[in-house]
Amino acid sequence: MLDAILSGLGGLGAGAQYLLAQGGPNVIMLAVAGVMFYLAIAKDVEPLLLLPIAFGCVLANLPLSELMGEGGVLRTLYNFGIGNELFPLLIFVGIGSMTDFTPLLANPRLLLFGAAGQLGIFFTLILALALGFSKEEAVSVAMIGACDGPTVIYVSNLFADLQKIPTAMVGALAVAAYSYMALVPILQPPIMRLLTTEKERSVKMPSPKGKVSRTALVVFPLLVTAVTGLIAPQGLPLMGMIMLGNFMKVSGVVTRLTKASENEIANISTLFLGLAIGGTMNGHEFLKWHTLLVFGLGLVAIIVDTAGGILLGKVWYWLSGGKVNPLLGAAGISAYPMAARLVQTEGQRWNKHNFLLMHAMAANTGGQVGSVMAAAIMLSVLKGLGIL
Amino acid sequence: MSTTTFGLTLLIVGMGGTLVTLAVIAGCLRLLTKLFPAENSDSDRSGGPGHA
């Protein structure tokens, strides 16, 4: 009888005993989760993602709960929506239905900023390979330069599924991607000022004149989907979903589906994705030197993305005889609409009469298309090389 | 395949492919807006300020 009572009591407090005995890494990750809570709640830094990720991290690092074990709720969520790439793709439908491509269609040349804004992906890939990451790890880390959480999760999970990268790395990449996206207002302005002169920053651009027909808006997502499917079919799930969302929006005939995509579907997917990603952040697997390098490389990717866009802007400024403001290049990343608003703010700092917002929105939506296209092309090339 | 070859292949084909593909799409979009010009009707939208 006494033995039974003592055995039963032994089951209580097992988690605390584990933490005291060998849970150092778990305690560190609990502190990391605390930092994420602070950023999300007190500083409003990407709360929709960081809060569930942080909570998932807490659940994964309170030991012996089996939440990430077979049949555990976090494992179930992971298998249900990340292992098969479902959640990132559903979020993309929501993103597509929330994006207005009208400014881009009014000035399609600005799509080129969306291409230049992906330079960080390829630069970081080379750097990661030089630092000793495997090919698959380097590609996954480089995707932080896409500045797009679902894209990063989608690509890295393809490799995690093939066991070419550790599952814990997916969590690190997602946290890095979302954190740096939120830090764009801090990271970009110094680079914008470093790479441009005051004269260039002050270039006043005329208000965009072009109107866009509803037919063009409706054909646009179909066109982009078809081009992606023909040139880079491995990326069609990504591009197809974002264009589906946009197609539903511009068709104007499925308002209920559009609203559901923007709200219920996107919100549920975001919650479950965040929890499941947080669940991969167990301290014993997450806290490795590789993880720190991932964060460092992610920072490099965003910086080079911004620099790439601005450098194209400078070339365009020179070729146009000073008519194009190079600051627009900074909007060629996928952080929509934050990057566009930042270009507007920065442009007005140097010329109060300058309204760059609609041009920047065109470049920013171009960045969204560009980031997904870069991922699509990368995946297709990897398929061609036999790596996927 | 060496990592150098891998990296350079992805840089050239990846970045180059992205630039070319987006340039092609930009060209198609110009054609699209010429084929289906806006006619100042309520259903047409402005790419400039004042657009809701």
Side-chain angles (χ1 to χ4, degrees):
Chain A
M1 174 71 178
L2 187 60
D3 286 340
I5 290 171
L6 287 173
S7 296
L9 281 172
L12 295 176
Q17 287 173 36
Y18 181 98
L19 274 183
L20 286 169
Q22 53 184 306
N26 300 109
V27 171
I28 293 172
M29 288 309 294
L30 288 171
V32 168
V35 170
M36 287 196 277
F37 282 136
Y38 173 74
L39 289 173
I41 298 170
K43 296 294 180 186
D44 202 29
V45 171
E46 293 284 344
L48 285 175
L49 259 304
L50 278 190
L51 197 137
I53 289 176
F55 207 92
C57 181
V58 167
L59 294 175
N61 285 283
L62 289 170
L64 306 178
S65 65
E66 305 292 330
L67 279 160
M68 267 307 267
E70 207 52 47
V73 67
L74 294 184
R75 173 60 60 191
T76 303
L77 284 175
Y78 188 93
N79 292 343
F80 181 66
I82 298 195
N84 60 1
E85 315 282 11
L86 180 63
F87 289 154
L89 294 174
L90 288 177
I91 291 172
F92 251 22
V93 178
I95 289 174
S97 63
M98 288 186 258
T99 305
D100 180 11
F101 287 105
T102 309
L104 179 64
L105 280 156
N107 197 349
R109 290 175 303 170
L110 295 182
L111 190 51
L112 292 176
F113 281 130
Q118 312 314 315
L119 184 64
I121 296 175
F122 302 96
F123 182 88
T124 305
L125 170 72
I126 305 276
L127 191 56
L129 288 169
L131 287 171
F133 282 84
S134 69
K135 295 186 183 89
E136 294 83 2
E137 286 172 344
V139 170
S140 303
V141 173
M143 285 318 302
I144 297 176
C147 232
D148 193 337
T151 306
V152 169
I153 293 168
Y154 182 88
V155 172
S156 59
N157 199 60
L158 279 175
F159 292 123
D161 255 1
L162 296 170
Q163 295 179 352
K164 302 281 188 167
I165 70 170
T167 310
M169 199 169 172
V170 178
L173 291 167
V175 171
Y178 283 114
S179 302
Y180 287 132
M181 276 163 59
L183 291 174
V184 157
I186 298 170
L187 293 173
Q188 283 202 318
I191 303 165
M192 290 154 93
R193 288 169 210 168
L194 186 69
L195 294 179
T196 54
T197 62
E198 196 174 322
K199 183 181 171 193
E200 288 167 346
R201 291 193 288 269
S202 307
V203 167
K204 187 168 184 296
M205 293 189 64
S207 299
K209 289 185 191 118
K211 274 198 160 204
V212 179
S213 68
R214 187 163 169 257
T215 309
L217 282 167
V218 169
V219 173
F220 167 75
L222 295 172
L223 171 72
V224 173
T225 304
V227 169
T228 307
L230 292 171
I231 292 179
Q234 291 299 313
L236 191 56
L238 284 168
M239 190 67 88
M241 289 300 111
I242 197 171
M243 289 298 142
L244 166 64
N246 188 251
F247 187 63
M248 289 195 295
K249 172 189 158 90
V250 296
S251 73
V253 295
V254 287
T255 316
R256 281 167 50 184
L257 297 183
T258 306
K259 286 200 167 115
S261 303
E262 287 176 10
N263 295 299
E264 289 81 27
I265 294 174
N267 290 340
I268 290 170
S269 303
T270 300
L271 170 63
F272 289 168
L273 178 121
L275 272 177
I277 289 290
T280 67
M281 293 167 67
N282 182 282
H284 291 278
E285 289 136 35
F286 190 86
L287 291 174
K288 301 200 159 105
W289 283 113
H290 259 42
T291 308
L292 278 177
L293 273 179
V294 162
F295 278 87
L297 287 168
L299 181 60
V300 168
I302 306 292
I303 289 171
V304 175
D305 276 346
T306 305
I310 292 176
L311 289 173
L312 177 66
K314 286 176 74 89
V315 168
W316 211 329
Y317 167 87
W318 178 72
L319 288 174
S320 65
K323 290 189 185 140
V324 172
N325 192 317
L327 289 179
L328 289 183
I333 62 174
S334 185
Y336 173 84
M338 193 163 25
R341 289 192 193 133
L342 190 62
V343 167
Q344 159 74 5
T345 307
E346 200 61 23
Q348 286 216 310
R349 189 192 294 272
W350 302 98
N351 183 344
K352 277 186 292 206
H353 306 289
N354 208 351
F355 294 95
L356 296 174
L357 184 64
M358 295 318 290
H359 299 282
M361 282 289 192
N364 207 187
T365 50
Q368 278 205 302
V369 174
S371 69
V372 181
M373 187 60 75
I377 287 176
M378 185 107 95
L379 290 174
S380 297
V381 172
L382 289 171
K383 180 82 175 171
L385 291 173
I387 290 176
L388 258 184
Chain B
M1 180 193 308
S2 71
T3 48
T4 312
T5 306
F6 174 76
L8 288 175
T9 303
L10 274 180
L11 176 67
I12 293 165
V13 180
M15 189 68 210
T18 303
L19 266 166
V20 168
T21 306
L22 290 182
V24 165
I25 292 178
C28 290
L29 292 181
R30 272 185 82 93
L31 193 60
L32 187 64
T33 49
K34 283 194 188 325
L35 280 173
F36 303 108
E39 286 172 0
N40 288 321
S41 67
D42 285 345
S43 65
D44 294 337
R45 297 168 73 171
S46 165
H51 162 64

